């Protein structure tokens, strides 16, 4: 079932609706948890996280609903791109950790594990996303 | 590697999307195949050749 809003066609099949439903539940749950932050401090952290996750999921569901179902198939080319990007991102993460380690040794940066954790997480995540875009755009696979 | 997918697809009056649905891939994959920017698996090459009614070696031409 496709509904047109202006010139945008939005699919309303059960997969899309399920995704919208989960995102709305996440937002509502997060908002409810935020109301208890005065009583339970960590509720603010979890509640905020759930609201943010819900908003991101809602936007993703909206983008997915505007594409035809055939564009969302994970075919062999998409799988190959994901694997290639993942492999390259792995080496980039190793390189980032190595650079952090030697920078700490040489310049006594007093780097702690909690400082490295978020850096490595973002380096890995964004490497994978950027590399997926790069391999999808033009290189021969 | 060059392909004759576009030419044979036109002969069968198939759009890229219709061919993509028949072989179970994205339309994007057919686009990159026609441009010669994607090397398909043997299975996908076989499926496309079957839909277009030709042999695999008639569909893909390798520069030797």
């Amino acid at each position: 079932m496709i509904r047109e809003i202006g010139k945008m066609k939005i699919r309303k099949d059960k997969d899309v609706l399920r995704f919208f439903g989960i995102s709305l539940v996440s937002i509502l749950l997060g908002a409810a948890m935020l109301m208890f932050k005065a009583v339970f401090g960590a509720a603010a952290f979890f509640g905020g996280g759930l609201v943010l996750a819900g908003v991101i999921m809602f936007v993703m569901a909206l983008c997915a609903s505007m594409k035809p179902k055939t564009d969302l198939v994970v075919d062999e080319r998409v799988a190959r791109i994901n694997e290639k990007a993942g492999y390259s991102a792995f080496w980039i993460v190793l390189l980032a950790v190595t650079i952090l380690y030697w920078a700490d040794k040489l310049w006594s940066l007093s780097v702690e594990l909690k400082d490295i954790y978020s850096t490595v997480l973002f380096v890995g995540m964004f490497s994978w996303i950027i590399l997926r875009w790069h391999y999808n755009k033009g290189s021969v696979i | 590697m060059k392909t004759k997918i576009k030419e044979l697809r036109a002969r069968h009056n198939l759009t890229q999307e219709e061919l993509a649905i028949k072989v179970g891939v994205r339309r994007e994959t057919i686009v990159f195949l026609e441009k010669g920017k994607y090397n398909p698996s043997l299975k996908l090459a076989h499926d496309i050749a079957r839909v277009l009614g030709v042999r695999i070696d008639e569909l893909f031409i390798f520069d030797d």
Side-chain angles (χ1 to χ4, degrees), chain A residues 68 70-78 80 135-141, chain B residues 17 21 24-29 32 36-44:
Chain A
T70 50
D71 273 9
L72 299 172
V73 168
V74 180
D75 61 9
E76 59 174 54
R77 184 174 169 272
V78 171
R80 217 184 277 184
Y135 290 134
N136 187 45
K137 272 294 158 190
S139 43
V140 179
I141 298 183
Chain B
E17 183 148 358
I21 291 169
V25 297
R26 291 186 180 189
R27 188 187 68 84
E28 212 176 32
T29 302
F32 280 101
K37 287 198 169 185
Y38 177 60
N39 296 320
S41 66
L42 183 58
K43 187 184 179 308
L44 180 59

Side-chain angles (χ1 to χ4, degrees), chain A:
Chain A
M1 192 159 117
I2 295 173
R3 189 178 175 182
E4 288 193 28
I5 295 180
K7 289 193 175 178
M8 276 192 319
K9 288 184 183 176
I10 295 185
R11 288 184 297 117
K12 281 177 75 180
D13 52 59
K14 64 176 184 181
D15 292 329
V16 169
L17 291 174
R18 192 185 306 147
F19 217 75
F20 275 126
I22 292 170
S23 68
L24 285 172
V25 166
S26 179
I27 290 169
L28 290 171
L29 205 61
M33 287 181 83
L34 281 171
M35 289 197 296
F36 292 101
K37 66 180 177 187
V39 175
F40 180 49
F45 174 75
F46 289 115
L50 277 172
V51 168
L52 182 63
V55 168
I56 291 170
M57 279 176 67
F58 188 87
V59 171
M60 284 172 64
L62 194 62
C63 291
S65 69
M66 288 194 280
K67 291 183 181 178
K69 214 168 184 179
T70 50
D71 273 9
L72 299 172
V73 168
V74 180
D75 61 9
E76 59 174 54
R77 184 174 169 272
V78 171
R80 217 184 277 184
I81 287 169
N82 285 342
E83 285 165 10
K84 203 170 170 180
Y87 178 78
S88 303
F90 165 73
W91 286 109
I92 290 171
V93 165
L94 271 191
L95 182 66
V97 170
T98 307
I99 288 171
L100 276 170
Y101 174 78
W102 283 108
D104 185 39
K105 266 212 176 282
L106 291 170
W107 297 303
S108 302
L109 299 174
S110 305
V111 174
E112 293 181 14
L113 187 62
K114 62 179 182 179
D115 300 325
I116 295 175
Y117 171 71
S118 53
T119 307
V120 169
L121 181 69
F122 284 117
V123 165
M125 213 165 62
F126 284 107
S127 298
W128 188 69
I129 290 168
I130 290 166
L131 284 165
R132 275 185 70 218
W133 172 83
H134 169 71
Y135 290 134
N136 187 45
K137 272 294 158 190
S139 43
V140 179
I141 298 183

